[in-house]
């Protein structure tokens, strides 16, 4: 089969790219190694920056998000239970959209298929070829049968563990990686969140985050070891710790519910430079990972493919390659700012196992400063709601 852009991966990056390209009249095919049901129920991100929510609406895939998503105009930062609000709306004029990544994925798959888009689920043995020339190819198997996609460009939207980045020859990429001694144990629960807005809670017991997917479904995280064994965390122990990390009165504030999902995520910072070689372009988690505390991962994935779709649109319209050549530079300016913000939020809010008492006092001073100074809280707010994008 032939298409203009062959896309590996049906996560937010691959789906949004295919969607944006179709609006420019550019054909694409997506291949995905998981099933549709699996990608539509994989619980990941929950916070969408305001420009990204606007983009989903403006391009016709945001109607359900507008109906069911929750617009939040601030967050709380709690210091041993004392909650202090950062008012995004007052500080930046904008808010954030709280809406599950898997809901975005569902909406985009539905829209792509309704528009005649092609997504091949449950493929195996994907491999990418000849991207150093003008006729790249993607090979894979569907139901045991070998297939090939001939295309003009390959988009590697296959996440951190995908095959596209490792297919780039040695010596092309420089990897910047920092593995953090931190993890999050996350649950999704059939119960209301403790407050209408997200609470980022700094406590002597470690960090906790109280988020949500709806007024009746909570998404709750506890700082843990990166290799934490879930077997050591029966539900009642998780609830007890979540209550304790809410501070005094936490046992009354936090309602327990049926645990719908449970998992541990280890934290890392990772970036490759460049994000492209020949006609293979990486986007989203395939090229970079941020620690989750800044809620930036999905938003960066959407920003990358917005830039890539603009570059491809210019190329197919005029034959000009300037935007394609600038792709890495354009993405990385945003990526490194998100790395900076995510690192800062993470180091300010977590108990680092290597830290001593002076580090704790400095963290406390920083949290006190950021929640009381207009300038400092504005800096947090403008990064959290999302830096401007063209
Ligand atoms: P992915 O979502 O990983 O998609 C890649 C796709 O490629 C997958 O569907 C995968 O199955 C497929 N694939 C992989 N290998 C192959 C192959 N060989 N062949 C075919 N297909 C393949 N981000 C935020 O913005 N806000 C948040 O609040 C937030 N919270 C998070 C909380 C947690 C617990 C976690 C784990 C992540 C969070 N993130 C958050 C990060 C966010 O989920 C990711 O950055 C986002 O999923 C990146 O999208 P992507 O499309 O690049 O990659
Ligand atoms: C969620 C995840 C995050 O990483 C974050 O910073 C805020 C919210 C969430 O899953 O709701």
């Amino acid at each position: 089969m032939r298409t203009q852009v062959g896309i590996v991966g049906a996560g937010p990056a691959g789906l949004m790219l295919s969607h944006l390209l179709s609006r420019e009249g550019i054909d694409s095919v997506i291949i995905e190694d998981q099933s549709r049901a699996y990608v539509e129920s994989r619980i990941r991100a929950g916070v969408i920056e305001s420009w990204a929510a606007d983009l989903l609406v403006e391009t016709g895939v945001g109607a359900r998000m507008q109906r069911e998503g929750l617009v939040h105009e601030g967050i709380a930062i709690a210091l041993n239970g004392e909650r202090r609000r950062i008012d995004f709306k007052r500080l930046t004029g904008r808010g954030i959209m709280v809406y599950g990544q898997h809901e975005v994925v569902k909406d985009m798959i539905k829209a792509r298929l309704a528009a005649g888009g092609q997504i091949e689920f449950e493929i195996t043995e994907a491999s990418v070829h000849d991207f150093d020339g003008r006729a790249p190819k993607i090979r894979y198997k569907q139901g045991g049968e070998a297939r090939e996609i001939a295309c003009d460009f390959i988009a590697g939207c296959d996440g951190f563990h995908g095959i596209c980045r490792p297919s780039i020859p040695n010596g092309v990429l420089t990897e910047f990686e920092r593995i953090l001694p931190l993890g999050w144990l996350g649950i999704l629960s059939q119960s209301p969140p403790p407050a209408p807005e997200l609470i980022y809670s700094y406590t002597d017991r470690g960090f906790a985050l109280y988020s949500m997917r709806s007024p009746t479904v909570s998404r709750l995280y506890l700082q843990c070891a990166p290799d934490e064994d879930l077997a050591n965390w029966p539900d009642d122990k998780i609830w007890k710790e979540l209550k304790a990390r809410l501070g005094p009165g936490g046992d009354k504030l936090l309602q327990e519910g049926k645990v719908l999902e449970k998992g541990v995520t280890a934290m890392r910072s990772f970036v490759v430079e460049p994000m492209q070689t020949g006609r293979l372009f990486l986007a989203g988690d395939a090229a970079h990972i941020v620690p989750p505390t800044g809620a930036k991962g999905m938003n960066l994935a959407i920003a990358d493919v917005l830039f890539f779709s603009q570059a491809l649109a210019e190329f197919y319209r005029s034959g000009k390659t300037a935007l394609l050549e600038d792709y890495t530079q354009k993405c990385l300016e945003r990526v490194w700012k998100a790395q900076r913000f995510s690192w800062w939020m993470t180091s300010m809010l977590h108990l680092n196992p290597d830290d001593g008492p002076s580090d704790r006092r400095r963290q406390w001073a920083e949290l006190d400063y950021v929640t009381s100074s207009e300038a400092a809280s504005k800096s947090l707010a403008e990064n959290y709601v999302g830096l401007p994008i063209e």
Side-chain angles (χ1 to χ4, degrees):
M1 120 175 70
R2 197 192 133 80
T3 190
Q4 288 170 295
V5 182
I7 302 175
V8 186
L15 289 164
M16 189 66 184
L17 177 62
S18 179
H19 173 63
L20 293 172
L21 291 177
S22 77
R23 292 173 50 83
E24 300 285 349
I26 301 168
D27 272 351
S28 63
V29 173
I30 305 180
I31 59 161
E32 163 63 52
D33 64 0
Q34 302 289 341
S35 68
R36 178 176 178 181
Y38 181 89
V39 298
E40 289 188 344
S41 59
R42 185 168 45 194
I43 306 298
R44 303 283 277 286
V47 172
I48 305 177
E49 294 178 354
S50 67
W51 69 269
D54 293 346
L55 181 69
L56 294 175
V57 173
E58 283 158 18
T59 64
V61 284
R64 193 165 69 94
M65 177 188 74
Q66 278 183 304
R67 282 196 312 276
E68 297 175 16
L70 308 169
V71 175
H72 284 195
E73 296 187 345
I75 54 166
I77 294 190
L79 288 82
N80 273 347
E82 184 204 327
R83 265 187 260 165
R84 303 186 185 177
R85 184 165 188 263
I86 310 264
D87 186 336
F88 294 158
K89 187 75 179 177
R90 186 179 66 75
L91 291 162
T92 69
R94 291 179 293 149
I96 49 159
M97 177 67 78
V98 176
Y99 187 64
Q101 173 172 328
H102 67 293
E103 306 291 359
V104 175
V105 163
K106 269 186 221 165
D107 295 343
M108 288 203 285
I109 290 176
K110 192 169 165 206
R112 284 312 300 129
L113 296 179
Q118 211 176 329
I119 311 173
E120 301 250 343
F121 290 102
E122 296 182 75
I123 63 97
T124 56
E125 295 177 48
S127 58
V128 289
H129 306 270
D130 303 336
F131 42 82
D132 49 350
R134 284 164 169 258
K137 288 167 202 76
I138 301 176
R139 299 200 180 104
Y140 61 101
K141 284 192 178 165
Q142 178 67 274
E145 182 191 314
R147 299 212 178 151
E148 184 178 278
I149 300 175
C151 50
D152 302 330
F153 295 91
I154 298 175
C157 301
D158 50 349
F160 184 68
H161 300 287
I163 52 103
C164 289
R165 191 182 65 250
S167 305
I168 295 176
N170 284 344
V172 174
L173 302 180
T174 303
E175 295 189 352
F176 299 85
E177 183 164 44
R178 188 49 88 86
I179 310 246
L180 306 183
L182 305 170
W184 278 8
L185 190 167
I187 62 164
L188 186 74
S189 162
Q190 189 68 60
S191 55
E197 290 179 342
L198 275 61
I199 305 172
Y200 284 77
S201 184
Y202 175 87
T203 79
D204 296 333
R205 309 173 69 93
F207 170 74
L209 170 61
Y210 304 81
S211 181
M212 67 202 71
R213 290 295 174 272
S214 75
T216 55
V217 175
S218 296
R219 180 72 169 141
L220 307 165
Y221 299 100
L222 289 171
Q223 176 187 348
C224 64
D227 55 354
E228 193 79 40
D229 185 356
L230 267 182
N232 296 331
W233 286 89
D235 292 357
D236 59 331
K237 183 171 166 193
I238 295 176
W239 286 113
K240 206 166 153 236
E241 195 56 35
L242 283 166
K243 288 174 180 176
R245 292 190 197 180
L246 252 185
D251 49 340
K252 290 189 187 61
L253 274 173
L254 188 65
Q255 219 172 295
E256 295 184 20
K258 184 172 177 222
V259 175
L260 307 170
E261 203 254 3
K262 210 196 270 197
V264 170
T265 312
M267 282 192 204
R268 72 171 81 226
S269 291
F270 177 84
V271 181
V272 284
E273 294 186 12
M275 288 171 55
Q276 64 197 90
T277 182
R279 288 189 169 208
L280 171 59
F281 291 72
L282 304 175
D285 280 14
H288 41 72
I289 298 284
V290 284
T293 326
K296 291 284 162 256
M298 175 170 55
N299 294 293
L300 286 177
I302 295 174
D304 289 352
V305 298
L306 175 63
F307 298 145
F308 189 34
S309 69
Q310 289 167 343
L312 286 167
E314 187 190 64
F315 173 80
Y316 282 112
R317 221 171 16 241
S318 67
K320 290 193 184 131
T321 56
L323 290 185
L324 285 170
E325 285 156 23
D326 263 4
Y327 172 74
T328 289
Q329 176 63 24
K330 182 105 180 153
C331 293
L332 286 181
E333 273 172 28
R334 198 173 180 84
V335 166
W336 280 113
K337 288 192 179 104
Q339 289 288 1
R340 183 205 71 80
F341 177 66
S342 305
W343 163 83
W344 173 67
M345 287 284 280
T346 303
S347 62
M348 175 169 69
L349 285 160
H350 291 75
L351 297 192
N352 188 322
D354 302 329
D355 279 357
S358 69
D359 299 297
R360 303 289 317 243
R361 281 171 175 70
R362 183 182 36 75
Q363 276 181 317
W364 191 274
E366 180 144 34
L367 286 160
D368 191 26
Y369 173 59
V370 86
T371 53
S372 60
S373 149
E374 179 84 5
S377 52
K378 190 165 180 171
S379 170
L380 188 156
E382 72 176 355
N383 280 278
Y384 198 99
V385 301
L387 293 173
I389 195 160
E390 296 121 56

